[in-house]
Each structure stands twice: as C-alpha cells, then as structure tokens.
Amino acid sequence: MSQQIAYGIEKIRDKQEVSIDILENLLIDVYRLLDSKNERDYNQCLSAICHVANYNSDDSMVQQLLHDCIVKSRIFLYDNLLKKNNEAYFPNISFQDNLLINFYTSQKTNTILTRPQKEIFDSFQINKRLVVSAPTSFGKTRIVREIILHNNYKNIAFIMPTVSLLSEQYQELRSSVEGYTISKSSKVKVDKDKSYLLVLTPERMSAFLEENPSFDIDFFVMDEIYKVDYKLDDDRFRVFSDILYRLAKSGADFYLAGPYISDFSKNFREKFKVELKKYSTEIVQKDYYALDNEKDKGLHSIENGSIKIIGDKFKNLLRLVSEESIDGKFLIYRYQKQYVEDTAKKFLDTWPVKPHNKELVEYLSSSVSPTWDLISCIKRGIAFHHGAMPRHIQDLIVDEFNDSSDNGLKYLFCTTSLTEGINSAAKNVVIYDKKIGTGDLLKTLDRKNIEGRAGRFMQHFIGRVFHLETQEDDDRETSVEIEYLDNEYASLETLIQLESDDVPSSRGELLKAHSEKLAELEIDPLIIKENRFVKVDGQVELISHLRTGGNLDVYYFKEKLPLKGCLDNILSCCYDYLFTDHDKGRNFDTDIGKSILIGLTKYYIYYTPSFKELLSSDTVQRARANDNSRIRYVFDLMSKYFEYSWPKYLKTFSSVYNFVAAEKRQPLISLDMVIAKLEYGTTENHEIILRDSGLPNEIIKKVSHYFKGCETYEDIYSVSRSRSNEIKDSIHPIESKIFAKYI
C-alpha cells in the first residue's frame, strides 16, 4: 500500500495529467493506511493529502474522499485552506465529522488542534514537564496558550531567543490571555497580589531574576530549545542553559520546544523527570530536488516545467527562479553575510524595477544610507537578511517578503539568521551552499531548520527545497546536550554556577582546585560567580593587576561618566583581561584593531552619534573601502560590541574593581551610566524600557517625551494606547509600523 501511495504522489509531483481513478485509488489507500500507528505511515498519508489538495481537483468524488482523509488525519484546518483556494470545494460534512472536529476544538479558545497537538496537550496535563521536538509549522507554541488557560498558574515566563519572536509571542498572548500583567521588559514593579506573564530573552530573564531573587515562577516556556546545546559553542548557549537550570531547579512546570531534535539530554530528563515527545510529521509537506552543478548536470523535471543544470551554480539559480512553473516566493540561503549581499546584488542586472514600498526605501535611505545595496534590491523585489542587521530592519524585510501584493518582495537572500522560528511566506527554499558561517559543513540541525522554512501552514500544502550543492551530512543525530550534565570537560565558568550537589563527580577536582586557589589569593568566590560566564582566569588576573601598586588610581573617577583618559584605561583593561578570542574577532584582534574599537566606543559613549553619523566618521571611513562593507561593519559594531560585549565586561570590571577597592579601603566607582549608554543608548528609565521592547534609538528619541515618568512596561503600553494618534502623526509611517510591532 505504501508503494502505491508513493507512486501516486510521484505522478502528481510530475504535474502530469492524473486520471480521476488514480486520485481516487490513492485517497482510498491513504484512508486505509491512516489506521496505522506508525508515524512514518502517518507522514506519508499527510504527504498524499497535501499533494492531492495542491492538485486541486474539481471532481466531487475526489473532493469527498480528500475531505474524509483530512478528517481521519485530524488536521482539520487543511479543509479551511482548500475552501480558501477553491470555491468549488464543497464536500459533504457529516454529523460524525462535526463531532470529531468539536472533540479537537478547545472549549476555551475555540482553537482547532491537530491530532499531534492534542496528544501533546493531553501529555502535558499528566506530566507537567515536557520537551517537544517537531518540525516547523507544526504549531508547537500554539499548544502553550491552551496549557495556560487550562492550568491555574500565577506567574509565567516565556523565554524567546530573539526580540522578533518575543514581540510576536507577546502580541498573541496579549490578545488571548487575560488576568496577567504581561511584560516584555525586565523592568517590572512586582506586586505580590498580581499575576505576571513575562516574555523575555534569556539575557533579560537573567537580569529580572537578579533584581527579583524571591520571585516565584510556576510555569515557563523556552522556544528554540536546541540553543542550550553546548556543542553550538557560541556566545549564548551558556546563558540559555543557565536560565533553564535555574528555573528547572525552582520546581516550576515547563514546556520546552524546538525543531528536528532527535534526543534531548537523557541526564537532564532523568534529573528533572521530563518527558520527551518527538514528531517528524510535516504539516506542510516538502518536495526535495538535488541540483548540484557538478553531480546533477542535465535536464530536471520540476512540477510541469523543467530546468537544465549546468556547471555554473549562479546561472542555475537564475534558471530555477525564472522557471514559470515554479510558483511562490524564494528564500535563498548563503553561508556568510557578504555572500548574501553580493549574490542579491548580482540579481540587480537581471531584474527590472517593479512596484515596491516607496516609504520603506525612503526610510532606509534617511536612517541608514541612500547608497545601501538593500535599497536598490528592494526596488526589484529582492532583499537580503543577516544577523548583523538591526532587528527592526530584519523584521521590516520579513514583513515585505510576507506581503502578498505586487509590492511585496519575491526573493530573500539570508544566512541562518532566518532559521530561529521566524515565519516567512517562502514556498521555495534554495540552499546555495553546504556550509555555515564558520566555513564548516552545514550540520543536520542547521540544514533542517533552513529546509523547514519551505511552505507555510494555511498558505501552502507543499513547500519545495532545492539543493544547489550535494549535502554531505546524511541526517545525523541531532541530540541536544547540556554542558554540566553531558560534557565531561564542562568549563569552570559553568561549574561555579551550579549548586554543589549538581557538580559532576568528574569535575570535582577542578572545582576544588579553583576554590583552593581563590582561598589562597583571598578572593571572594561570589565575586567571580556573580560575573556569569566571564572567563574565570581573566577575572583572577584582573584582580591581581588591580591589587598591584597604585593601579587602582588610573581607573578611579568620581563623576557619573569618567574622563576620556580614564575610560580609555578601563576599556583597555577589559579588552586585555576579559575579552575572549571570539570577542575580538577578525576586526579587532590586533593592537590597531583594539585601538580602533576603543576609539569608536568612546565616540559612541560621549557623543551618542546616530547610525549615519557613526557610518560617516573618519575611523569607519578608513576601516572599510565602500559604503556597504562600512554598513555591515557598523551594524556589527553596535549589535556585538556596544549592546552586548562591552556592557557584560564593564559590569565585571566594576564588580572586580570595587572588590579590590573595598580591600584597600578606597572609594568605589560606578560604571552604570557608561553601561546604560552602550547597552541602551540612553540612561533614562522610560527610554531603557522602550529599547528593551525592541524599539531602535532613532525612534525612541522622537517619541521619548510622550513616555516621561513611565516606570514599567505596562505604563509604556498604557500611554502608547491613549496617545496612539499623536505618536503616529509625529513619526515616519515606517517608524509608526515599527512602533506598533514592538510596543
């Protein structure tokens, strides 16, 4: 039966004239196979349902059989998309069908759940601690709303990896969940009589817990949970896993979700009594095409058209996106920022100017640069997207790509920046490279995350994935591992954050040696521990440096803002003792690079330049040869250094300095103003909350006066609603759109 179904799917994929008999027999086989308990069989049935639905037959018997299969599959919303695509779709809906739909419909939200979603919800109600692995478009986070409404939780936390996902989740919760003070800023005035729903990044959640150590969270959600995996070896995995550890240790219920995970730390699951539920079911099915310019040369049939693959990969891409039979929008993956921009730019010679969002072009010209290649691209329905771009510009690009009108973008070139749960309207995903940004081979999890962007639920039945290079990772295991539980070489920086009974026996000696060393040097271990995940050796060396002779004097200042020479000394000290090689990167890993970084940082702190002013500074002009590379350079400078690295290390420096100063009975310093200016671009509390919410500084400066006196995000939200028309009239239409998205 499975072979017959596969044959039927292949006939439909080829877009050949498929007889009614073939469609009917295929659906009858699907209806029978849906009795199977095997998930592979279930996924094949969904594939057949999606391919028949996409074929869009007007035959009444085919439509009735298709409807019956949809009901039996329990993915009832397929029917809604069929009705949307075909006014002639009118199957008979029986009384029994309505009973089944009602059984899968939430009585509290009227949401129709799929069969897997209902299984997950029912499982959570029994176990209360769940890890869910499932493909994109599965609706993993939709279940959370049901969990909240069916349980009596006082305080809830949503931990989201990016401000974009955070804002999306916040808007959904704001419209569907009542009885909670909902905040997307860590600046919250806690009232014990109120219930709170916090929607924060891991970094902001950590800040909130530091400021409110006695706050009890009853239930928490973490999305894109694979980011706790120590094998990622990036800047953030320790922050993610630390939040997971602290909240799990609190005894709270939790729901952890992520795509394409084959396993989740067995040690973690045993320790915290967690159930893992894995699904490979693709609600939006995928068709895959191998189009390697070396191995797959020749003619390839795609839908009811064909393309000829030759030895030139870029020309193959042009042939692919030009084939009329391949409908829908294209997401094109390249592995580095510069390649993303360069490949998009190469399209400019081929595509004519088309209707486009002129307000967006005007906004980007005035706020970034009129010579930015992104502007020329947008005029032709093309754009690029990568992690160095400010989040609000990334989101504007995705919104334009999701615009189904003639003005919308059709081609979006991106790095892995678009794989973190962002919903796009791409029907087609082209994987141009088989590498990631470091130059290493694309791993299973990264590849599947990119492939998962092909097709969007309730817009497409089928997504298409095109590989322009042969992938070499053949679906290896994608197990998520927690550093302190699964890595016998867990770092000292991670170990010192653990409670003593959680330290693995294999690392006991390392921790003991660390404690003895601190005792010998008369260093309070809490000072080192409080500076979370800043390298321990660097902190110890910094303390020794500050204890020597009169070294404290060159870093001491009385004012809120140190003089330039003093700040130069402080920044230089942070760079020398606390920066890792990864922090320095390729741009700032030499003495000249260090000098440039510190010079630009001081300029930003003392003069608060706009992006355009920073871009036109002599230092940046000399650092890069052309405007587009300068724009990337400044974006990276602001997001990586000003907003992230410097604040972290300056907090550490302040803590360490004051420890040594207290020893020597000398006055303390405060770097709070310097840190706030870097991290937020401001020292005003209401502006910090606006920045925390995702609003860029250029807009904050224009609307700040409306929010003076606001102390919490709820205050900000209230003012934004009561004075919405005034605020809207005072800013550019695109800025108004950004404001509405984040506030």
Side-chain angles (χ1 to χ4, degrees):
M1 193 185 301
S2 182
Q3 280 187 324
Q4 291 168 285
I5 292 173
Y7 170 76
I9 292 171
E10 202 53 45
K11 292 283 284 184
I12 297 170
R13 272 188 64 176
D14 290 344
K15 285 282 185 179
Q16 298 169 9
E17 192 62 39
V18 183
S19 70
I20 299 301
D21 284 348
I22 288 176
L23 292 175
E24 288 179 359
N25 289 329
L26 172 61
L27 290 169
I28 289 167
D29 287 338
V30 167
Y31 194 86
R32 290 172 178 157
L33 190 60
L34 280 167
D35 290 325
S36 169
K37 303 298 180 188
N38 184 300
E39 192 182 17
R40 184 176 295 179
D41 291 341
Y42 182 61
N43 202 45
Q44 187 182 36
C45 289
L46 293 191
S47 179
I49 288 169
C50 285
H51 279 86
V52 174
N54 197 53
Y55 190 78
N56 212 6
S57 171
D58 285 332
D59 181 81
S60 58
M61 180 56 76
V62 170
Q63 289 188 358
Q64 188 62 49
L65 286 169
L66 180 57
H67 167 76
D68 292 343
C69 287
I70 288 170
V71 170
K72 196 169 183 181
S73 76
R74 309 298 191 251
I75 314 290
F76 302 103
L77 290 175
Y78 283 157
D79 251 358
N80 296 32
L81 182 55
L82 273 162
K83 288 170 187 170
K84 182 173 138 187
N85 292 347
N86 186 353
E87 290 180 1
Y89 179 71
F90 207 78
N92 176 54
I93 300 174
S94 68
F95 176 72
Q96 186 182 20
D97 293 347
N98 283 323
L99 276 179
L100 279 167
I101 293 169
N102 189 57
F103 179 72
Y104 281 85
T105 301
S106 166
Q107 301 308 305
K108 295 202 173 187
T109 65
N110 211 33
T111 300
I112 301 175
L113 300 177
T114 65
R115 186 176 89 183
Q117 285 174 334
K118 191 166 191 315
E119 285 174 8
I120 291 168
F121 173 76
D122 291 343
S123 183
F124 181 86
Q125 293 299 87
I126 297 167
N127 297 290
K128 303 294 187 181
R129 288 186 159 196
L130 208 58
V131 178
V132 175
S133 168
T136 52
S137 290
F138 184 90
K140 297 180 288 295
T141 53
R142 195 178 303 131
I143 304 155
V144 177
R145 186 174 55 177
E146 301 302 318
I147 289 171
I148 292 172
L149 294 172
H150 285 82
N151 291 276
N152 189 28
Y153 294 123
K154 180 171 171 57
N155 296 319
I156 299 170
F158 273 69
I159 319 298
M160 313 298 285
T162 66
V163 172
S164 299
L165 282 175
L166 185 152
S167 296
E168 194 176 296
Q169 191 66 62
Y170 169 83
Q171 299 291 358
E172 188 175 313
L173 291 167
R174 173 70 76 174
S175 64
S176 61
V177 177
E178 296 179 349
Y180 290 90
T181 298
I182 306 177
S183 179
K184 53 188 285 197
S185 166
S186 58
K187 305 291 182 186
V188 179
K189 277 193 172 179
V190 175
D191 181 339
K192 289 183 179 178
D193 295 328
K194 290 183 177 179
S195 295
Y196 292 88
L197 205 165
L198 308 174
V199 191
L200 303 171
T201 62
E203 291 83 1
R204 296 287 173 252
M205 190 70 228
S206 185
F208 175 83
L209 293 175
E210 306 268 329
E211 292 171 20
N212 302 277
S214 60
F215 187 86
D216 292 325
I217 290 172
D218 306 302
F219 171 59
F220 70 93
V221 178
M222 289 185 77
D223 198 11
E224 308 296 313
I225 193 60
Y226 64 88
K227 287 188 166 291
V228 303
D229 191 352
Y230 78 89
K231 300 190 298 297
L232 290 173
D233 196 26
D234 63 8
D235 279 346
R236 296 183 78 198
F237 82 84
R238 286 196 176 95
V239 184
F240 275 84
S241 60
D242 179 58
I243 287 296
L244 175 59
Y245 171 74
R246 290 155 75 185
L247 293 181
K249 286 287 285 187
S250 74
D253 295 347
F254 56 78
Y255 176 90
L256 315 177
Y260 310 112
I261 297 167
S262 61
D263 198 4
F264 192 90
S265 175
K266 184 181 177 185
N267 291 322
F268 179 87
R269 288 188 282 121
E270 288 177 353
K271 183 176 183 64
F272 294 108
K273 298 179 174 57
V274 183
E275 182 185 3
L276 170 64
K277 292 192 78 67
K278 296 187 294 181
Y279 294 88
S280 59
T281 305
E282 295 276 5
I283 304 299
V284 178
Q285 288 290 310
K286 312 282 188 285
D287 284 342
Y288 296 87
Y289 300 89
L291 305 174
D292 188 292
N293 60 303
E294 293 295 332
K295 298 179 181 178
D296 301 307
K297 288 179 182 176
L299 206 60
H300 291 259
S301 296
I302 300 172
E303 304 279 335
N304 56 350
S306 62
I307 66 165
K308 186 177 182 181
I309 295 300
I310 59 174
D312 186 316
K313 190 161 58 161
F314 181 73
K315 286 182 179 177
N316 290 338
L317 174 64
L318 289 179
R319 292 178 177 201
L320 180 65
V321 301
S322 302
E323 170 54 50
E324 290 182 6
S325 66
I326 306 174
D327 63 324
K329 302 195 175 201
F330 288 83
L331 198 65
I332 301 151
Y333 168 78
R334 295 231 56 190
Y335 74 101
Q336 287 185 345
K337 297 187 283 281
Q338 183 176 343
Y339 296 150
V340 162
E341 295 189 13
D342 289 348
T343 314
K345 191 177 174 183
K346 284 175 79 172
F347 263 49
L348 296 182
D349 299 330
T350 309
W351 265 253
V353 172
K354 65 177 276 296
H356 57 274
N357 188 336
K358 292 178 180 176
E359 288 180 341
L360 178 59
V361 165
E362 178 196 329
Y363 170 73
L364 293 175
S365 296
S366 62
S367 64
V368 180
S369 169
T371 62
W372 193 15
D373 282 341
L374 181 63
I375 293 166
S376 304
C377 287
I378 288 171
K379 291 177 180 178
R380 291 165 170 80
I382 305 158
F384 49 79
H385 183 294
H386 53 67
M389 295 165 70
R391 184 58 66 178
H392 71 283
I393 293 180
Q394 292 183 37
D395 289 347
L396 287 171
I397 294 303
V398 172
D399 288 345
E400 289 302 301
F401 186 64
N402 290 342
D403 181 358
S404 59
S405 74
D406 289 341
N407 287 0
L409 300 169
K410 188 172 182 184
Y411 311 98
L412 182 52
F413 293 81
C414 68
T415 60
T416 52
S417 61
L418 254 177
T419 64
E420 293 177 344
I422 294 171
N423 293 315
S424 82
K427 185 171 185 178
N428 308 289
V429 165
V430 180
I431 302 182
Y432 196 95
D433 304 297
K434 59 182 178 186
K435 297 179 181 178
I436 54 174
T438 59
D440 296 327
L441 284 177
L442 198 60
K443 294 175 184 171
T444 300
L445 189 58
D446 289 316
R447 175 174 56 76
K448 285 191 171 184
N449 265 329
I450 299 165
E451 291 170 347
R453 302 297 128 200
R456 187 172 181 179
F457 189 43
M458 294 309 294
Q459 285 191 26
H460 312 114
F461 287 108
I462 307 290
R464 307 185 194 95
V465 179
F466 303 96
H467 289 280
L468 300 194
E469 286 189 351
T470 302
Q471 298 300 312
E472 296 179 15
D473 187 288
D474 301 318
D475 284 357
R476 294 177 191 170
E477 291 295 292
T478 52
S479 175
V480 171
E481 296 180 310
I482 311 291
E483 186 180 22
Y484 82 97
L485 288 169
D486 303 309
N487 182 8
E488 60 178 311
Y489 303 108
S491 73
L492 188 54
E493 287 75 17
T494 291
L495 295 172
I496 63 174
Q497 300 301 330
L498 305 176
E499 294 181 14
S500 57
D501 59 339
D502 292 322
V503 176
S505 56
S506 63
R507 302 303 271 165
E509 285 301 314
L510 175 67
L511 208 54
K512 183 183 176 186
H514 165 71
S515 299
E516 289 172 352
K517 182 179 179 181
L518 294 189
E520 182 185 334
L521 295 171
E522 297 183 347
I523 296 175
D524 182 353
L526 280 177
I527 296 298
I528 306 296
K529 181 178 180 179
E530 284 169 1
N531 299 317
R532 291 179 183 275
F533 310 119
V534 176
K535 59 182 182 180
V536 170
D537 289 347
Q539 292 189 65
V540 172
E541 289 172 15
L542 176 57
I543 289 171
S544 298
H545 167 73
L546 293 173
R547 281 173 168 173
T548 304
N551 281 349
L552 279 182
D553 298 340
V554 299
Y555 308 112
Y556 177 71
F557 62 96
K558 295 179 184 177
E559 306 81 4
K560 286 188 175 181
L561 208 58
L563 296 175
K564 290 180 183 177
C566 180
L567 182 57
D568 197 297
N569 293 335
I570 292 170
L571 295 173
S572 181
C573 199
C574 289
Y575 181 99
D576 290 342
Y577 290 99
L578 304 177
F579 267 47
T580 64
D581 290 341
H582 184 267
D583 293 320
K584 295 171 186 176
R586 288 177 293 179
N587 288 335
F588 307 113
D589 61 348
T590 63
D591 288 341
I592 293 173
K594 172 187 172 182
S595 176
I596 290 171
L597 175 61
I598 289 174
L600 287 168
T601 304
K602 288 194 298 181
Y603 174 50
Y604 189 75
I605 290 167
Y606 290 114
Y607 298 101
T608 321
S610 66
F611 178 90
K612 290 188 81 170
E613 288 169 334
L614 201 53
L615 185 67
S616 61
S617 68
D618 289 343
T619 306
V620 171
Q621 292 291 312
R622 287 194 299 269
R624 289 293 180 270
N626 61 67
D627 238 14
N628 284 280
S629 60
R630 289 182 197 121
I631 289 167
R632 279 198 307 274
Y633 182 85
V634 175
F635 281 156
D636 193 55
L637 184 70
M638 296 180 78
S639 62
K640 181 177 177 180
Y641 294 96
F642 295 171
E643 295 174 10
Y644 182 69
S645 294
W646 280 128
K648 177 172 69 170
Y649 295 129
L650 285 166
K651 285 172 190 171
T652 300
F653 180 88
S654 179
S655 165
V656 167
Y657 178 97
N658 288 336
F659 168 69
V660 176
E663 282 183 334
K664 293 176 175 284
R665 300 177 186 272
Q666 293 191 22
L668 310 184
I669 63 170
S670 171
L671 284 165
D672 290 351
M673 179 173 278
V674 176
I675 292 165
K677 273 182 156 287
L678 285 166
E679 191 170 6
Y680 296 105
T682 179
T683 57
E684 296 287 335
N685 186 64
H686 66 285
E687 292 183 350
I688 288 173
I689 299 170
L690 289 167
R691 189 75 189 95
D692 240 356
S693 304
L695 214 59
N697 283 322
E698 287 81 358
I699 299 177
I700 291 172
K701 287 174 184 175
K702 296 179 182 179
V703 301
S704 173
H705 60 284
Y706 294 108
F707 299 97
K708 279 201 183 236
C710 289
E711 296 182 3
T712 66
Y713 181 77
E714 282 298 297
D715 297 338
I716 295 282
Y717 183 81
S718 177
V719 170
S720 73
R721 293 304 178 267
S722 64
R723 305 188 69 175
S724 61
N725 290 335
E726 292 174 72
I727 294 168
K728 185 178 179 181
D729 291 342
S730 69
I731 52 181
H732 189 279
I734 294 296
E735 292 176 326
S736 180
K737 181 180 178 180
I738 296 167
F739 185 89
K741 185 178 185 71
Y742 291 124
I743 303 300

